[in-house]
């Protein structure tokens, strides 16, 4: 499905979100280092866990709100809310005030609004795209995110250290601009019968009652529940891209030559080495997502999901065994391949499981793979103090392999349920 054939909503979002994500990735990769330096590894890890707990709650509420109040309304609200959060973060890093605690609170609130945005944005794709084309559309949006992952850190390495206040302020203004663009040039796509049914609910506490009721129904979907648990286990690996991996590289990678031509050489330190592998990840994702998604689409989803987790485990082993920048580049190549294998297929799999009237909540629940993973994943930073880097990487490897086993069980249950429906 070509982009020119997309619904107008999706074309507008693609450009607006690329702009917002690029700005976000100009500073986000450096925040784990910033918080670790300001609060210490133990406290920083625990604070990041705390911030993600709020995102988990917001994520569940976001799915319900996307179905009740509409995809567009929630996305506009989330964009504007993130804008105010980043402006507050900027003030906490301004020439007039230096407050890491206030910055952390602003970062947490921004994460909450981001959790509101995600389920509405994913449900909107499912609303306007036929099932056969959803994998390709999700893959293109994923590619746009990773174009931002390439460009953002490169620009961030120039501006973040010396112009953090201006950069965060600019991020806030961009979020407000995206909110305006979405409100002006997109339309609502939530199925009318779902919105009408929810709007007839009376008292305020019905919101919580019905939300818990709907999510209890989702939890009874064994296939979907296993999908989330397996995703959370795998997420302990891929969430380390901006948590453990930058701290590990900063601690162990000393100045070394990246290229050498006679007397001329390119020397990089730890922070620069991390920037290189992060840019590598973004470049590979941006250039290969659509190709690998189509390639993986030829195979049974079970085999793709299982192999993805196994390749994640291999990448973690390689990371743990090298301090050489080219070894890290090799590890990141495996890491990225594992990421790309399920990039489009997993979102398409969710849309296959989700009833039309509960798409927002299913996508919200599915994104618990990321929000719960990001809640637990920061514990890897203090774990390096408690048990050392070697054991931390071993544990992450075992969790990735455990997720591969759970994916096998999930598809066994899925096939069993499908055969019953056919019979």
């Amino acid at each position: 499905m070509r982009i020119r054939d997309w619904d107008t909503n999706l074309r507008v979002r693609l450009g607006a979100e690329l702009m917002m994500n690029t700005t976000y990735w100009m500073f986000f990769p450096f925040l784990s280092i910033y918080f670790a330096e300001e609060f210490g590894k133990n406290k920083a890890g625990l604070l990041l866990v705390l911030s993600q707990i709020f995102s988990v709650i917001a994520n569940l509420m976001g799915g319900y709100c996307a179905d009740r109040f509409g995809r567009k309304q929630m996305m506009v609200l989330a964009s504007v809310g993130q804008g105010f959060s980043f402006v507050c973060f900027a003030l906490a890093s301004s020439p007039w005030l230096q407050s890491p605690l206030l910055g952390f609170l602003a970062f947490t609130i921004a994460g909450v609004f981001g959790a509101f945005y995600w389920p509405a944005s994913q449900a909107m794709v499912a609303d306007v795209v036929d099932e056969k084309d959803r994998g390709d559309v999700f893959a293109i949006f994923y590619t746009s995110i990773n174009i931002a992952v390439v460009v953002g850190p490169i620009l961030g390495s120039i501006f973040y250290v010396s112009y953090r206040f201006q950069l965060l302020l600019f991020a806030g203004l961009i979020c407000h601009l995206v909110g305006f663009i979405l409100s002006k040039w997109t339309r609502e796509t939530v199925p009318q019968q779902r919105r009408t049914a929810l709007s007839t609910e009376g008292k305020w506490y019905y919101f919580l009652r019905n939300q818990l009721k709907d999510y209890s129904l989702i939890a009874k979907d064994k296939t979907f529940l296993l999908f989330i648990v397996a995703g959370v286990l795998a997420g302990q690996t891929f969430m380390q891209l901006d948590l453990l991996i930058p701290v590990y590289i900063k601690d162990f990678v000393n100045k070394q030559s990246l290229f050498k031509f006679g007397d001329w050489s390119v020397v990089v330190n730890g922070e620069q080495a991390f920037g290189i592998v992060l840019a590598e990840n973004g470049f590979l994702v941006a250039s290969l997502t659509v190709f690998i998604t189509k390639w993986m689409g030829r195979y049974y989803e079970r085999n793709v999901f299982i192999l993805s987790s196994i390749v994640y485990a291999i990448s973690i082993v390689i990371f743990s065994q090298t301090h050489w920048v080219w070894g890290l580049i090799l590890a990141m190549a495996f890491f990225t391949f594992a990421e790309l294998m399920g990039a489009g297929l997993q979102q398409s799999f969710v849309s296959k499981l989700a009833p039309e009237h509960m798409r927002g909540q299913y996508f919200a629940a599915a994104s618990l793979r990321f929000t719960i993973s990001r809640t637990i994943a920061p514990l890897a930073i203090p774990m390096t103090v408690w048990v050392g880097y070697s054991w931390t990487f071993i544990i992450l490897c075992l969790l990735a392999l455990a997720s591969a086993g759970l994916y096998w069980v999930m598809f066994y249950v899925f096939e069993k349920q499908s055969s019953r429906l056919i019979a």
Side-chain angles (χ1 to χ4, degrees):
M1 187 178 184
R2 296 169 297 183
I3 293 178
R4 69 183 182 184
D5 297 325
W6 283 16
D7 185 274
T8 303
N9 275 23
L10 301 185
R11 293 202 301 269
V12 170
R13 278 184 48 201
L14 187 64
E17 290 177 12
L18 176 61
M19 181 171 55
M20 183 167 64
N21 289 328
T22 300
T23 308
Y24 181 72
W25 278 92
M26 288 173 67
F27 61 87
F28 177 69
F30 306 98
L31 291 183
S32 62
I33 296 174
Y34 168 70
F35 289 132
E37 290 177 345
E38 294 293 339
F39 299 115
K41 289 182 182 178
N42 283 333
K43 188 179 292 185
L46 296 175
L47 285 173
L48 288 170
V49 168
L50 179 63
S51 74
Q52 292 306 311
I53 291 174
F54 291 105
S55 293
V56 171
I57 299 170
N59 188 77
L60 294 174
M61 292 177 62
Y64 184 89
C65 293
D67 285 336
R68 174 166 184 167
F69 303 112
R71 325 303 195 202
K72 173 181 174 178
Q73 188 166 334
M74 292 308 301
M75 291 165 65
V76 171
L77 173 66
S79 299
V80 174
Q82 279 193 311
F84 282 117
S85 301
F86 289 138
V87 169
C88 290
F89 201 164
L91 294 175
S93 301
S94 68
W96 314 283
L97 176 65
Q98 292 292 320
S99 175
L101 181 58
L102 178 59
F104 172 78
L105 292 174
F107 169 73
T108 300
I109 295 170
V112 167
F113 281 110
F116 275 121
Y117 189 96
W118 179 257
S121 69
Q122 300 300 288
M124 180 179 281
V125 174
D127 289 339
V128 300
V129 180
D130 293 336
E131 184 177 332
K132 63 183 177 64
D133 296 317
R134 286 175 194 160
D136 291 341
V137 173
F138 282 125
I140 292 173
F141 270 98
Y142 195 72
T143 299
S144 75
I145 293 172
N146 285 277
I147 291 173
V149 175
V150 175
V151 177
I154 294 173
L155 296 175
S157 64
I158 300 171
F159 297 107
Y160 174 78
V161 175
S162 301
Y163 303 100
R164 186 165 61 213
F165 164 67
Q166 292 88 340
L167 180 56
L168 290 167
L169 187 62
F170 180 69
L173 296 176
I174 289 294
C175 288
H176 284 294
L177 176 61
V178 169
F180 172 77
I181 290 172
L182 293 175
S183 67
K184 185 77 173 175
W185 287 292
T186 62
R187 73 183 193 286
E188 187 51 68
T189 64
V190 65
Q192 188 60 40
Q193 67 273 21
R194 175 61 172 168
R195 194 171 185 179
T196 301
L198 288 173
S199 66
T200 60
E201 297 169 357
K203 300 179 181 179
W204 65 270
Y205 55 81
Y206 286 6
F207 169 84
L208 180 60
R209 186 197 69 181
N210 289 322
Q211 185 177 2
L212 293 175
K213 180 180 176 181
D214 285 344
Y215 280 117
S216 69
L217 292 175
I218 292 174
K220 291 177 182 177
D221 185 337
K222 293 181 180 179
T223 300
F224 191 65
L225 187 60
L226 287 168
F227 175 75
I228 292 173
V229 175
V232 169
L233 293 179
Q236 299 315 299
T237 301
F238 63 74
M239 286 295 173
Q240 303 306 329
L241 179 62
D242 47 47
L243 292 169
L244 177 64
I245 290 175
V247 177
Y248 169 73
I249 292 176
K250 181 178 181 294
D251 284 351
F252 286 97
V253 176
N254 299 317
K255 284 188 176 181
Q256 55 184 275
S257 177
L258 180 64
F259 296 108
K260 190 171 184 179
F261 302 97
D263 295 331
W264 181 80
S265 64
V266 177
V267 178
V268 295
N269 58 24
E271 288 88 345
Q272 291 166 331
F274 170 64
I276 289 170
V277 297
L278 185 62
E280 174 199 1
N281 172 263
F283 173 76
L284 292 175
V285 171
S287 57
L288 298 177
T289 295
V290 175
F291 169 74
I292 292 181
T293 297
K294 289 182 178 179
W295 178 26
M296 292 297 115
R298 302 174 187 172
Y299 304 104
Y300 186 33
E301 291 159 323
R302 179 194 64 192
N303 300 333
V304 175
F305 291 1
I306 291 172
L307 185 59
S308 173
S309 293
I310 292 172
V311 177
Y312 269 128
I314 293 171
S315 71
I316 283 296
V317 170
I318 299 174
F319 268 119
S320 69
Q321 296 301 309
T322 184
H323 304 155
W324 181 41
V325 64
W326 284 103
L328 297 171
I329 290 172
L330 175 64
M332 184 54 70
F334 277 91
F335 186 98
T336 306
F337 182 57
E339 179 183 355
L340 293 180
M341 290 176 72
L345 292 183
Q346 291 205 355
Q347 295 300 87
S348 182
F349 185 71
V350 174
S351 66
K352 185 187 299 184
L353 294 176
E356 180 180 302
H357 67 284
M358 293 182 69
R359 278 178 181 157
Q361 286 169 279
Y362 260 78
F363 276 107
S367 63
L368 285 174
R369 293 170 295 152
F370 308 120
T371 50
I372 294 178
S373 294
R374 188 167 288 282
T375 300
I376 304 171
L379 290 175
I381 297 175
M383 277 176 62
T384 62
V385 178
W386 303 335
V387 298
Y389 276 102
S390 295
W391 275 107
T392 300
F393 279 114
I394 289 171
I395 292 169
L396 293 174
C397 175
L398 293 175
L399 290 175
L401 294 175
S403 75
L406 273 184
Y407 279 129
W408 186 90
V409 174
M410 179 194 77
F411 276 97
Y412 174 79
V413 173
F414 178 63
E415 291 164 0
K416 198 172 180 181
Q417 289 176 340
S418 299
S419 63
R420 286 177 182 172
L421 291 175
I422 294 173

